[in-house]
Amino acid sequence: MNEYQHMSFMQLAYEQAEIAYSQGEVPIGAVIVKNNEVIASAYNHTEHHQNPIGHAEILAIERAATILQTRRLTDCTLYVTLEPCAMCAGAIVLSRIPIVYFASKDAKAGAVHSLYGLLNDTRLNHQCKVHAGLMHEECSTLLSMFFKQLREGHIAKTHQHRQNREE
């Protein structure tokens, strides 16, 4: 695959992140590609479903495994807008995804480069080729805007909307 193709897949992950943003979710998107074709995409659903494992990577892996009818995604590439956390890195290892592209590092929870190196840990039974920084500016700007608006009260968490409607 050439640089343009990688950019186009990360752009699709970014579009998933924009959907998350519009729904009051932390704007993270993920896309899984096999044979130059998108087979699964997802964005964070943690707030809407009040589910701590509703991360974009987990949802995309689950969808890809269902579509391919296998738990091993050995011929796939994951594109994600933020460095995966420990939970997501664990799912990547367990699903045997060989290549991961992420846009922005996560200094507080990143388990690929920032805090841990789980995807390259030789003590585990699977390692990944990791590429960081693709569309870094766009993805980090989207995250910064989201958290700024959240702090300013312009974005209300989804569960607060639900509670207000139920009262």
Side-chain angles (χ1 to χ4, degrees):
M1 250 191 283
N2 62 40
E3 185 73 19
Y4 174 78
Q5 289 170 307
H6 293 300
M7 284 291 283
S8 66
F9 291 130
M10 186 61 82
Q11 177 63 40
L12 294 173
Y14 179 81
E15 290 169 11
Q16 290 293 305
E18 288 180 314
I19 295 169
Y21 189 112
S22 73
Q23 295 183 9
E25 296 280 353
V26 176
I28 300 170
V31 170
I32 295 180
V33 174
K34 180 177 180 172
N35 298 328
N36 293 328
E37 183 180 327
V38 174
I39 58 169
S41 60
Y43 55 89
N44 274 12
H45 278 92
T46 56
E47 292 298 327
H48 181 74
H49 294 292
Q50 287 301 287
N51 183 347
I53 64 170
H55 290 202
E57 302 96 306
I58 298 288
L59 298 171
I61 289 169
E62 185 176 51
R63 290 173 186 164
T66 299
I67 289 165
L68 297 175
Q69 298 184 327
T70 182
R71 65 184 179 90
R72 295 186 181 216
L73 306 178
T74 56
D75 297 327
C76 296
T77 301
L78 170 67
Y79 296 84
V80 61
T81 58
L82 185 66
E83 179 181 1
C85 68
M87 175 182 67
C88 294
I92 292 164
V93 168
L94 292 173
S95 64
R96 309 292 198 277
I97 294 173
I99 304 169
V100 175
Y101 284 82
F102 71 86
S104 300
K105 290 186 178 182
D106 184 351
K108 294 183 179 181
V112 177
H113 286 304
S114 298
L115 298 178
Y116 307 102
L118 293 179
L119 299 186
N120 294 308
D121 191 327
T122 56
R123 295 171 296 177
L124 299 173
N125 64 344
H126 175 74
Q127 291 81 46
C128 304
K129 291 181 183 172
V130 177
H131 305 274
L134 190 62
M135 289 186 62
H136 163 73
E137 284 297 319
E138 297 90 332
C139 295
S140 63
T141 298
L142 185 65
L143 282 161
S144 295
M145 285 182 357
F146 175 83
F147 285 113
K148 181 178 187 264
Q149 290 187 347
L150 186 65
R151 283 188 303 275
E152 293 172 351
H154 300 297
I155 295 175
K157 293 187 177 179
T158 306
H159 68 277
Q160 290 172 334
H161 285 303
R162 255 198 327 266
Q163 287 173 347
N164 293 340
R165 281 184 266 152
E166 292 170 358
E167 292 176 351

